[in-house]
């Protein structure tokens, strides 16, 4: 086990930000940690990385208890905090060299700095001031500082927030690349990010874990119709006629002649819809099966 969280609670004054949280992350897993704003994601990550103490409960990383300022634990963890605080007046290379010097000395320090600059694609920007970089490159510097001591565990808090779509893909690829040999826990509010890179999903809401599943199993947590089909006809038809089609349980008019049809059977209802159109002298303009996505799971479980 790379990360073990047991019965962790966190109080800020009287407010309970985390309420008796427990979960485990296996070595090599990439876990998506998702939840609405204020759910407690950053608080949990700060506790795992030893930045703030828990009010109660225990956390260990690679078998070592977090807390007590144990430098051995810090070596195991790379952390990209939310909002990625950096020193804008420092130069990229100077800053990364400085971070590396906390962990290494001599020639290994230089080598480590070089290789991380290479890995994160920072070579062309290495002699610029951090404050002069684009947001995408600043995130790369944040990732570089998290990776520089080659930690076994990466904790990334909203690593792609505020980036443009191209930058998001670049940072995601970097995370995927780094995640090949590491255990990664990342928080995000972008569901496609979890779909794209995670093996497992933990959903937190109001300081409580509401789901913790392998990505492929997460849909078992919600109630959803077996099939949802979106169909568009060229002319008007009646809701009551559509409801009479075999296996149809629910019919919703989206707009004009566009309908959302829900069925409770595994049997594909598209042929029946097609026959319905033929019988009623309608032309089918489009016919699409809608897959549930993580967004649906998130909304149902967090009431967001
Ligand atoms: P998330 O990262 O999921 O948005 P946070 O962990 O930042 O959530 O916050 C969880 C809750 O704890 C929120 O209600 C937030 O306002 C509160 N909180 C976070 N940090 C502090 C703090 N330093 N002092 C007081 N309340 C805090
Ligand atoms: Mg946060």
């Amino acid at each position: 086990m790379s990360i073990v969280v047991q019965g962790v609670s966190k109080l800020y004054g009287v407010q309970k930000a985390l309420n008796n949280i427990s979960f485990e992350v296996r070595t090599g897993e990439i876990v998506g940690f998702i939840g609405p704003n204020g759910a407690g994601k950053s608080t949990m990550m700060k506790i795992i990385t030893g930045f703030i103490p828990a009010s109660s409960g225990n956390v260990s990383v690679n078998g070592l208890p977090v807390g007590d300022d144990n430098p051995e634990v810090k070596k195991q963890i790379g952390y990209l905090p939310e909002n990625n605080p950096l020193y804008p007046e420092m130069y990229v290379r100077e800053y990364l060299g400085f971070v590396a010097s906390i962990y290494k000395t001599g020639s290994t320090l230089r080598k480590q700095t070089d290789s991380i600059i290479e890995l994160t694609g920072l070579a062309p920007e290495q002699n610029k001031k951090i404050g002069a970089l684009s947001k995408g490159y600043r995130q790369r510097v944040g990732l570089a500082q998290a990776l520089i001591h080659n930690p076994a565990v990466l904790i990334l808090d909203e690593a792609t927030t505020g980036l443009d779509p191209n930058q998001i893909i670049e940072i995601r690829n970097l995370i995927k690349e780094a995640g090949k040999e590491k255990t990664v826990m990342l928080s995000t509010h972008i569901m496609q990010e979890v779909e794209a890179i995670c093996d497992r999903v933990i959903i937190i809401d109001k300081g409580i874990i509401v789901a913790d599943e392998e990505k492929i199993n997460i849909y078992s947590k919600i109630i959803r119709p077996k099939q949802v089909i979106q169909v568009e006809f060229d002319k008007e038809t009646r809701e009551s006629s559509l409801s009479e089609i075999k296996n149809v349980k629910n019919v919703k008019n989206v707009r004009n002649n566009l309908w959302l049809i829900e069925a409770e059977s595994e049997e594909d209802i598209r042929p029946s819809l097609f026959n319905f159109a033929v019988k009623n002298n309608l032309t089918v303009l489009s016919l699409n099966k809608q897959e549930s996505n993580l967004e649906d799971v998130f909304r149902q479980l967090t009431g967001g």
Side-chain angles (χ1 to χ4, degrees):
M1 265 331 142
S2 276
I3 305 172
V4 178
V5 173
Q6 284 170 324
V8 165
S9 294
K10 177 70 185 179
L11 288 152
Y12 290 115
V14 290
Q15 192 198 350
K16 211 164 208 180
L18 297 175
N19 190 355
N20 196 19
I21 299 261
S22 299
F23 62 87
E24 295 183 346
V25 180
R26 287 185 293 275
T27 306
E29 261 186 323
I30 302 189
V31 173
F33 194 42
I34 59 181
N37 276 334
K41 303 179 295 294
S42 297
T43 300
M44 189 69 248
M45 289 179 142
K46 284 179 201 161
I47 292 171
I48 294 171
T49 51
F51 269 72
I52 58 170
S55 304
S56 58
N58 296 301
V59 178
S60 67
V61 172
N62 279 353
L64 301 166
V66 174
D68 319 328
D69 252 334
N70 181 351
E72 287 309 308
V73 195
K74 297 250 189 242
K75 280 187 196 162
Q76 307 286 330
I77 306 172
Y79 175 39
L80 175 59
E82 193 173 26
N83 306 323
N84 186 15
L86 294 167
Y87 301 95
E89 288 305 317
M90 281 182 97
Y91 294 91
V92 171
R93 195 184 172 83
E94 175 195 24
Y95 171 68
L96 292 174
F98 161 72
V99 178
S101 70
I102 299 169
Y103 303 96
K104 295 230 167 63
T105 50
S107 64
T108 46
L109 191 153
R110 202 189 163 80
K111 252 194 244 153
Q112 191 66 13
T113 310
D114 284 342
S115 79
I116 214 71
I117 283 174
E118 188 61 34
L119 176 76
T120 51
L122 279 166
E125 308 286 310
Q126 61 178 309
N127 297 316
K128 285 191 186 166
K129 276 191 177 175
I130 291 172
L133 299 179
S134 69
K135 182 105 187 0
Y137 272 98
R138 252 177 281 167
Q139 278 314 81
R140 285 173 193 247
V141 176
L143 266 179
Q145 66 75 28
L147 288 164
I148 203 148
H149 54 299
N150 195 22
V153 175
L154 263 185
I155 307 286
L156 309 173
D157 197 356
E158 309 263 358
T160 58
T161 298
L163 301 183
D164 72 34
N166 291 333
Q167 294 168 335
I168 286 179
I169 292 182
E170 286 161 18
I171 295 294
R172 235 182 244 172
N173 286 339
L174 264 177
I175 295 172
K176 255 199 237 172
E177 192 55 39
K180 280 185 185 157
E181 298 143 25
K182 298 185 190 303
T183 305
V184 182
M185 182 167 177
L186 59 94
S187 74
T188 179
H189 61 270
I190 306 170
M191 299 301 143
Q192 296 101 299
E193 199 142 288
V194 178
E195 300 270 13
I197 48 186
C198 298
D199 311 314
R200 209 168 107 216
V201 189
I202 299 178
I203 304 181
I204 181 171
D205 188 28
K206 302 185 188 81
I208 291 170
I209 298 215
V210 293
D212 178 356
E213 297 283 341
E214 299 295 316
K215 188 174 61 188
I216 47 166
N217 296 333
I218 192 86
Y219 299 106
S220 68
K221 299 297 288 186
I222 61 166
I223 306 153
R224 56 175 180 153
K226 294 226 164 68
Q227 277 184 76
V228 181
I229 309 286
Q230 188 173 285
V231 59
E232 185 171 18
F233 302 114
D234 64 332
K235 292 190 289 287
E236 271 181 34
T237 186
R238 283 206 317 274
E239 189 172 320
S240 57
S241 326
L242 283 164
S243 303
E244 281 164 18
I245 297 171
K246 192 178 161 218
N247 290 328
V248 167
K249 281 282 168 308
N250 201 10
V251 176
K252 270 183 237 160
N253 185 249
V254 181
R255 60 182 145 77
N256 303 330
N257 303 319
L258 184 66
W259 300 87
L260 215 54
I261 318 273
E262 295 181 1
E264 269 321 323
S265 149
E266 300 285 0
E267 191 186 326
D268 197 338
I269 60 160
R270 284 175 294 183
S272 313
L273 280 170
F274 198 78
N275 289 336
F276 169 87
V278 172
K279 261 191 220 150
N280 292 278
N281 202 21
L282 299 166
T283 302
V284 175
L285 299 179
S286 68
L287 187 63
N288 304 304
K289 201 167 183 164
Q290 312 240 297
E291 303 292 343
S292 285
N293 56 34
L294 209 50
E295 212 92 44
D296 301 328
V297 180
F298 185 82
R299 261 187 275 118
Q300 239 184 68
L301 294 180
T302 65

